[in-house]
Amino acid sequence: MDEKRKQFRHVATTFDGNAIAFGEFERAVHVYDLTTDACVSKFGSNLDFGGRRLAIAPNGSICAIASYNDNSLTLIDLHGDHLWQRGDVDEVQRVRFSLDGNTLFCCHHRGIVSQFDVRSGETTRFNWFKKNLYGAEDVFESPYDKYMVVDRIEGDIQITNLRLKRIGTLKRKTFAVLDYAFAPEFICISESGGPMTCYHLQTGKEVWELRFPDGIHALDVGYNEETKHFSAVTWPYKNGGPFTLLAIARHNGDIVTETGLPDAADFGFVKRGTRLVLTTGAILSTATGEQLGALDFSLESANN
């Protein structure tokens, strides 16, 4: 196997952009263009292993990198230049750009989500942000409707408007959420050691629940705009084993297709959920599981 395929441990994608970022176990970040399948940038950073501390902006021009060990948060462009860096952002587990690319959300281990202005690096100082994101573990935006979901460390999951005013609540079924996927009017939630559940965003009512065999859960979930199916990457967490890609009907939770996946350290949905990218470089259709292409790691040295 190519050495780069062994080294990549993180993948960061955008909802509908052409850029994708890979992180090695620590430090090095590589950015690929999905239109050419080639590497367009490689730079060193303070990325450390664990959590989801690598994110790429919606326009693909900058990466956000957090380090749990040195409490830093850095914005780096594709030339490897630091746009800004902060050293006071402690215990970050996840970083995520807002869909408009103007805000960077940082999810901390202690149960709070902080927000930074992407242009300046300054903390966003809106009282309603502070109040509603204290005690939160993560925050997600819908690309279809004017809704957000706030995953709280304790208590119910909250459906809010874009100003984080609570609209409804969703009862947690296990101790932790693994991933979320939005569809028009719906949200699908995967929980650790538990099911995937689809809810109606406006009412908060459960639409369907998909339970897996004992010892299996969905690590990553997405939504394919073309087929109007949800997607899931499942894994037998109790005993280990192969990953599986599922296509799931949006309205009733029926499994439409089921495809075994090659081993990979991480997965990311791209192209509005129609493709799945693996840290091995493989690019698969989420509708059929068929491999449609692969990122060309061999061209990296020629481009850098």
Side-chain angles (χ1 to χ4, degrees), residues 5-294:
R5 297 171 190 259
K6 297 179 183 178
Q7 292 179 1
F8 290 149
R9 292 293 181 268
H10 318 258
V11 61
T13 62
T14 63
F15 174 63
D16 57 3
N18 290 316
I20 182 169
F22 292 97
E24 295 184 18
F25 183 79
E26 290 186 329
R27 307 300 177 186
V29 174
H30 309 243
V31 179
Y32 280 77
D33 186 339
L34 290 172
T35 61
T36 63
D37 295 338
C39 183
V40 295
S41 181
K42 175 184 175 183
F43 50 84
S45 72
N46 57 352
L47 178 68
D48 51 23
F49 185 72
R52 289 191 176 271
R53 302 189 187 105
L54 172 65
I56 189 164
N59 64 8
S61 64
I62 53 177
C63 289
I65 296 162
S67 172
Y68 191 94
N69 293 326
D70 65 13
N71 297 330
S72 66
L73 175 65
T74 311
L75 238 63
I76 303 178
D77 66 18
L78 298 192
H79 300 291
D81 295 328
H82 288 201
L83 303 180
W84 50 260
Q85 184 175 55
R86 297 184 60 130
D88 59 347
V89 187
D90 62 317
E91 298 183 335
V92 173
Q93 294 284 45
R94 288 173 293 278
V95 291
R96 187 191 312 277
F97 284 93
S98 60
L99 293 177
D100 62 13
N102 295 326
T103 301
L104 184 66
F105 295 103
C106 291
C107 310
H108 301 260
H109 177 72
R110 66 182 182 274
I112 191 170
V113 176
S114 54
Q115 313 85 39
F116 300 91
D117 184 278
V118 167
R119 291 167 297 181
S120 67
E122 294 297 315
T123 305
T124 303
R125 299 185 182 281
F126 295 119
N127 288 333
W128 49 270
F129 259 46
K130 286 184 177 180
K131 179 180 69 174
N132 288 285
L133 291 182
Y134 182 78
E137 192 167 23
D138 212 339
V139 58
F140 301 83
E141 295 176 272
S142 171
Y144 305 106
D145 311 291
K146 295 182 179 180
Y147 293 109
M148 300 181 76
V149 166
V150 179
D151 180 13
R152 308 193 71 81
I153 272 189
E154 297 180 356
D156 297 332
I157 301 163
Q158 295 182 354
I159 303 172
T160 76
N161 63 16
L162 296 183
R163 288 181 61 87
L164 294 171
K165 181 179 179 180
R166 187 169 64 182
I167 297 171
T169 58
L170 309 175
K171 293 292 184 182
R172 189 185 303 277
K173 295 185 176 182
T174 72
F175 67 95
V177 170
L178 292 176
D179 204 7
Y180 292 80
F182 287 97
E185 302 182 10
F186 300 100
I187 184 170
C188 191
I189 300 177
S190 169
E191 298 188 60
S192 181
M196 281 179 61
T197 310
C198 180
Y199 300 92
H200 194 278
L201 277 168
Q202 190 171 16
T203 64
K205 290 184 178 179
E206 182 175 316
V207 180
W208 50 259
E209 177 189 84
L210 175 59
R211 288 199 168 270
F212 303 109
D214 183 53
I216 296 176
H217 59 202
L219 292 173
D220 301 279
V221 293
Y223 176 69
N224 185 324
E225 281 194 357
E226 292 181 356
T227 62
K228 295 179 172 51
H229 293 157
F230 285 106
S231 306
V233 175
T234 65
W235 180 63
Y237 62 92
K238 279 190 176 180
N239 300 314
F243 298 96
T244 302
L245 174 64
L246 305 178
I248 302 163
R250 180 179 67 172
H251 290 289
N252 59 19
D254 288 348
I255 296 176
V256 179
T257 62
E258 184 172 350
T259 308
L261 290 173
D263 191 34
D266 201 2
F267 305 85
F269 294 100
V270 295
K271 297 290 185 180
R272 292 181 172 261
T274 62
R275 303 289 184 268
L276 181 71
V277 177
L278 285 61
T279 46
T280 61
I283 303 173
L284 281 63
S285 164
T286 56
T288 65
E290 176 188 3
Q291 182 165 338
L292 302 177

